[in-house]
């Protein structure tokens, strides 16, 4: 309660942040240990997905495509989902922000056979394709600026890519509270065509810069607590891939992509098997996957 009394936009109060819990989930034998604030909803809603194991990540029926249209590029199966609310000055009764946090087995439906997310260069390409599919391929959701604050970290011998996706706003646009809405991610390989996908969907307020900074402080605590252990099978497969591509790596520093967005589109018709947005005047095409020559070739 003391911290609630002195909360501000720059240093908001997050219920449970000082009393987090250690959570463990298993995905096909790979184990994630992570420290999380408890789920909190001032409206009284329960956590959407309580921590649960996914014994078989290959079971296609459990994946939610996120929409009813064809031509899916990525599919989601959540194993943790909870909300955290942010509270500012005591005289502001309602929360000033919220993070929708999700831990997901993300199936990469668009990755060609023969390629593996255990190849760090391919993992990077998967990330960029994801940002394309949630950016220029979805022009009706507005222009996106991504990747922002790209980082590469090694955890328990496994490469992780950390990045953000923001709204791409004109420099002279007057600030609005919706401008503080952004997403942050942390990803690593789970199997050849699967990645462990941590997603922080943030909804903020003004001042925008302070709101984004506050959300990222919580994100950094969560990501810093990660312990990720591959199963024996996954570790063996990773070593097999790395032995074939020993010089592969992830770009240590990336600037936001400069993709040209479509100039014209219309809503797709799901019953006719169309994509969610039918592009009429296209921008840049989707980035293609490519693989370096095998070792010794």
């Amino acid at each position: 309660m003391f911290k609630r009394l002195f909360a501000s936009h720059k240093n908001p109060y997050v219920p449970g942040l000082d009393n987090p819990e250690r959570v463990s989930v298993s995905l096909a034998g790979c184990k994630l240990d992570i420290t999380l604030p408890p789920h909190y909803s001032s409206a009284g809603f329960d956590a959407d997905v309580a921590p649960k194991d996914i014994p078989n990540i290959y079971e296609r029926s459990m994946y939610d495509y996120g929409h009813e249209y064809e031509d899916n590029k990525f599919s989601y199966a959540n194993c943790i989902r909870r909300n955290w609310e942010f509270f500012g000055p005591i005289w502001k009764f309602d929360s000033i922000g919220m993070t929708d946090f999700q831990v997901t087995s993300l199936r990469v439906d668009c990755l060609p056979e023969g390629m593996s997310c255990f190849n760090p260069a391919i993992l990077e390409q998967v990330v960029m394709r994801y940002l394309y599919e949630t950016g220029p391929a979805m022009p009706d959701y507005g222009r996106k600026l991504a990747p922002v604050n790209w980082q590469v970290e090694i955890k328990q011998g496994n490469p992780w890519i950390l990045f953000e996706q923001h709204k791409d706003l004109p420099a002279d646009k007057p600030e609005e509270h919706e401008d503080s809405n952004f997403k942050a991610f942390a990803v690593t390989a789970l199997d050849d065509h699967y990645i462990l996908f941590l997603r922080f969907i943030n909804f903020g307020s003004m001042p925008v810069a302070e709101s984004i900074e506050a959300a990222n402080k919580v994100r950094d605590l969560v990501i810093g607590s990660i312990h990720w252990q591959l199963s024996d099978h996954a570790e063996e497969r990773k070593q097999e891939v790395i032995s074939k591509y020993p010089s592969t790596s992830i770009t240590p520093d990336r600037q936001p992509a400069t993709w040209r967005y479509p100039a014209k589109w219309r809503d797709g018709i799901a019953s006719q098997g169309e994509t969610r947005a039918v592009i009429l005047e296209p921008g840049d095409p989707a980035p293609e996957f490519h693989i370096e020559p095998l070792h010794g070739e």
Side-chain angles (χ1 to χ4, degrees):
M1 182 55 69
F2 180 80
K3 289 192 174 182
R4 176 69 179 98
L5 289 173
F6 293 93
S8 65
H9 282 86
K10 188 174 183 63
N11 294 293
Y13 170 68
V14 181
L17 187 62
D18 291 337
N19 188 30
E21 58 181 321
R22 194 66 175 168
V23 175
S24 297
V25 290
S26 174
L27 298 92
C30 302
K31 187 179 180 182
L32 172 69
D33 293 294
I34 190 168
T35 301
L36 302 173
H39 170 80
Y40 181 84
S41 169
S42 56
F45 295 113
D46 293 332
D48 187 72
V49 178
K52 65 178 183 180
D53 295 338
I54 303 180
N56 181 11
I57 61 172
Y58 313 107
E59 175 54 55
R60 300 184 72 87
S61 63
M62 71 178 176
Y63 283 84
D64 174 15
Y65 294 92
H67 55 75
E68 57 183 328
Y69 297 88
E70 297 297 326
D71 193 28
N72 306 295
K73 302 297 189 301
F74 296 90
S75 307
Y76 305 81
N78 281 349
C79 60
I80 301 175
R81 186 173 184 180
R82 55 181 59 182
N83 292 345
W84 305 312
E85 292 191 32
F86 298 75
F87 291 88
I90 192 67
W91 58 85
K92 288 183 176 291
F93 179 77
D94 294 332
S95 63
I96 60 171
M98 185 195 80
T99 295
D100 176 358
F101 173 70
Q102 304 170 22
V103 178
T104 297
S105 170
L106 186 69
R107 193 177 73 221
V108 188
D109 300 318
C110 55
L111 187 63
E113 289 299 323
M115 295 189 181
S116 173
C117 292
F118 284 129
N119 181 333
I122 296 298
L123 180 63
E124 178 176 355
Q125 293 174 43
V126 166
V127 167
M128 296 308 296
R129 182 60 179 267
Y130 177 85
L131 291 175
Y132 176 89
E133 294 299 332
T134 55
M138 301 173 65
D140 50 330
Y141 274 30
R143 296 181 63 90
K144 302 294 192 299
L145 185 68
V148 174
N149 294 329
W150 177 276
Q151 301 175 62
V152 181
E153 294 187 3
I154 303 298
K155 296 180 181 292
Q156 295 74 53
N158 301 294
W160 286 73
I161 303 178
L162 318 178
F163 56 98
E164 300 164 26
Q165 183 186 59
H166 294 254
K167 294 183 177 181
D168 190 3
L169 303 171
D172 58 350
K173 176 186 177 299
E175 187 174 274
E176 300 177 293
H177 79 271
E178 291 89 352
D179 299 340
S180 62
N181 299 347
F182 75 105
K183 297 177 182 178
F185 306 85
V187 306
T188 192
L190 176 56
D191 205 336
D192 287 335
H193 286 230
Y194 296 78
I195 61 177
L196 182 66
F197 190 74
L198 277 61
R199 178 165 53 173
F200 302 76
I201 306 175
N202 302 291
F203 304 91
S205 58
M206 297 171 62
V208 169
E210 291 184 358
S211 183
I212 292 174
E213 180 182 356
N216 277 341
K217 285 181 180 179
V218 176
R219 175 207 62 186
D220 291 345
L221 289 174
V222 171
I223 292 177
S225 76
I226 289 173
H227 186 278
W228 172 242
Q229 185 65 50
L230 292 174
S231 67
D232 291 344
H233 170 76
E235 181 65 32
E236 182 179 346
R237 176 56 182 157
K238 182 184 80 171
Q239 295 303 327
E240 179 183 354
V241 171
I242 295 301
S243 67
K244 292 181 179 179
Y245 306 99
S247 62
T248 187
S249 64
I250 300 172
T251 305
D253 183 31
R254 264 189 175 272
Q255 297 303 309
T258 56
W259 289 312
R260 183 168 51 90
Y261 272 62
K264 188 176 181 180
W265 65 87
R266 65 169 175 80
D267 293 337
I269 303 173
S271 61
Q272 296 182 12
E274 293 182 336
T275 57
R276 197 181 56 80
V278 176
I279 307 303
L280 303 177
E281 294 182 16
D284 287 335
E288 296 183 358
F289 294 104
H290 59 274
I291 195 165
E292 66 181 34
L294 291 173
H295 182 55
E297 290 187 352

